[in-house]
Amino acid sequence: LIRLDITNLSVPPSFFGLLSGNNVTIQQLLVGWPGMSEETVAMETLCSVLAPAASHLHITNTNYRSIRACQAARVELLEFKDNTQLQALSVPFEAHLVNVSGCVNLRELTLPRARVLDISNTRVPFSDRLCRSYGSEMLLARNLLCSTFRNASTATRLFATCLPSIRVLDVSSNAWL
């Protein structure tokens, strides 16, 4: 199966069991609904239906508090937008795009490399890895909620790191500018 989009549809956990039980693998999986969480659909369950070379995983509008991206599938596009309860995201592989915009409680982001990173409307703190490994080509950091960015020296370090090295830096809608 190339693409399965079941965003905003509440499906029972057995649905994913049916898919994996019938050896169905998906290249592009788009899921998420209010109430979806670790208790209702474990990440391992979602990973079991992804093709080893899946291109897109999109999980939105859920109650997951922590997500560890699938180890076996090297997904190029990872979107975890608007998961308001999400506090930690771990990606064990390099990705082209990681989008966590709107994850207003996200404070912990772990990944080796992402060429495009969107941390808009999150609490992800400043890191020396921003624009080097995290968002090495494009960093979208609009309306950052983390107080460390309000510090002038942190903002200076961000600009000093990013401006010489990346193609796009979007820090619009930040009160600290």
Side-chain angles (χ1 to χ4, degrees):
L1 185 60
I2 293 181
R3 181 179 176 99
L4 176 62
D5 185 345
I6 52 173
T7 51
N8 296 314
L9 294 174
S10 179
V11 298
S14 60
F15 173 79
F16 297 102
L18 285 172
L19 293 175
S20 63
N22 288 303
N23 295 319
V24 173
T25 58
I26 302 167
Q27 295 289 326
Q28 301 173 11
L29 178 61
L30 295 83
V31 298
W33 61 87
M36 183 180 181
S37 68
E38 295 95 343
E39 291 78 31
T40 58
V41 181
M43 275 304 297
E44 295 79 24
T45 302
L46 293 177
C47 293
S48 71
V49 299
L50 281 178
S55 61
H56 191 183
L57 176 60
H58 177 101
I59 301 173
T60 188
N61 200 24
T62 72
N63 291 331
Y64 286 100
R65 293 186 175 288
S66 176
I67 293 177
R68 178 170 172 79
C70 309
Q71 183 77 31
R74 304 277 182 204
V75 183
E76 282 291 310
L77 306 174
L78 295 165
E79 295 189 89
F80 302 106
K81 300 184 303 186
D82 299 320
N83 291 292
T84 59
Q85 302 304 310
L86 188 64
Q87 298 172 13
L89 172 65
S90 176
V91 179
F93 52 85
E94 291 186 15
H96 175 76
L97 175 137
V98 175
N99 184 344
V100 291
S101 63
C103 296
V104 296
N105 286 303
L106 183 66
R107 290 175 167 79
E108 187 178 324
L109 179 63
T110 307
L111 65 151
R113 184 175 208 76
R115 289 180 291 205
V116 178
L117 177 65
D118 190 343
I119 57 170
S120 301
N121 292 299
T122 70
R123 296 184 189 285
V124 172
F126 175 78
S127 164
D128 288 328
R129 299 191 74 185
L130 287 172
C131 299
R132 292 188 177 131
S133 299
Y134 298 179
S136 59
E137 291 180 19
M138 180 184 299
L139 178 65
L140 305 173
R142 298 177 299 267
N143 193 37
L144 294 172
L145 304 174
C146 182
S147 61
T148 60
F149 286 98
R150 293 187 188 115
N151 180 317
S153 66
T154 302
T156 301
R157 284 175 48 209
L158 177 71
F159 291 126
T161 303
C162 296
L163 291 178
S165 62
I166 67 172
R167 294 179 183 181
V168 176
L169 173 64
D170 183 351
V171 291
S172 59
S173 299
N174 280 295
W176 47 267
L177 289 177

